[in-house]
Amino acid sequence: MGKIFFATSGNAKKRTAPEQPLKTMNLLIVSDIFGRTKALDDLADYFDDKKIQTEILDPYHRRYMDFENEDQAYREFHAETGLGNYINLLRQKLLGKKPEKTVILGFSVGASAIWAVSHHIEAEPFKGICFYSSQIRNSLEIKPKIKIELYFAKAEPAYDVDAIISKLEINNNVTCFKTKFMHGFMNERSKNFNEDGFLKYREIIKTSIARHLTGSVDVG
């Protein structure tokens, strides 16, 4: 049975490599509706500094959109890409040549895309880490082949977090965590951004990556 845990309390590089199937990649970050931002680049650079080879997948084909607010980002995401196309972008990235061990880290709609492909990709090289996906509730029938960690907001306006967790925790490959923070707390562009939460969960992500890649709890 899966587990549920209640959690306790530089200069950005331009990442413009062409989108292609993974060959050797330790971490793939799948962005939310804001796409690429300096803050997301900084997060990727943080993991690069830990010797974790990192790449970003976003819905705007590597363009920096600089949205003023979440409403604008939401409208543009659905006008330009949409969840279905974003899922296909991620599937194309992951399928193909077998990569080295890889963690797929997603936020919001990026987490939803990871969930949607989690029963199509090979279990051995991949692990998913997903933050506050709202769309998982609409595809509870999915049975991931990969180990996947789901980090939920403490509350969501559209659904009962505890009820969804109770339905997901029966899957052996799924581990659910309920945080003390709101949807978007890892993104400084979000109205719910929480710096303490961001720093805490950045370290949790680092530890989770290390366990998948090396079996250790530290990557330097």
Side-chain angles (χ1 to χ4, degrees), residues 9-29:
S9 313
N11 290 332
K13 302 171 187 174
K14 296 298 184 182
R15 298 174 176 277
T16 56
E19 293 172 1
Q20 56 186 351
L22 296 177
K23 295 180 180 178
T24 301
M25 183 63 54
N26 297 140
L27 175 64
L28 178 66
I29 301 176

Side-chain angles (χ1 to χ4, degrees), residues 44-84:
D45 290 344
Y46 169 82
F47 290 116
D48 271 346
D49 287 344
K50 305 299 179 184
K51 311 303 181 187
I52 301 169
Q53 188 178 351
T54 305
E55 186 177 338
I56 297 172
L57 180 70
D58 74 278
Y60 311 112
H61 306 288
R62 305 177 300 282
R63 304 197 317 274
Y64 291 77
M65 303 300 286
D66 197 24
F67 297 115
E68 294 180 3
N69 52 53
E70 288 178 82
D71 288 340
Q72 184 185 23
Y74 180 85
R75 290 193 300 270
E76 185 64 28
F77 173 78
H78 286 283
E80 177 161 333
T81 305
L83 180 56

Side-chain angles (χ1 to χ4, degrees), residues 110-135:
S112 298
I114 292 170
W115 179 258
V117 303
S118 64
H119 60 311
H120 292 302
I121 55 181
E122 296 180 69
E124 177 60 27
F126 293 111
K127 175 182 181 178
I129 304 176
C130 298
F131 280 81
Y132 40 76
S133 164
S134 294
Q135 293 303 316

Side-chain angles (χ1 to χ4, degrees), residues 33 35 57 63 84-85 104 126 130-132 137 181 197-198 209:
I33 57 175
L57 180 70
R63 304 197 317 274
N85 287 331
I104 321 161
F126 293 111
C130 298
F131 280 81
Y132 40 76
R137 74 187 193 277
F181 305 99
F198 168 79
I209 292 170

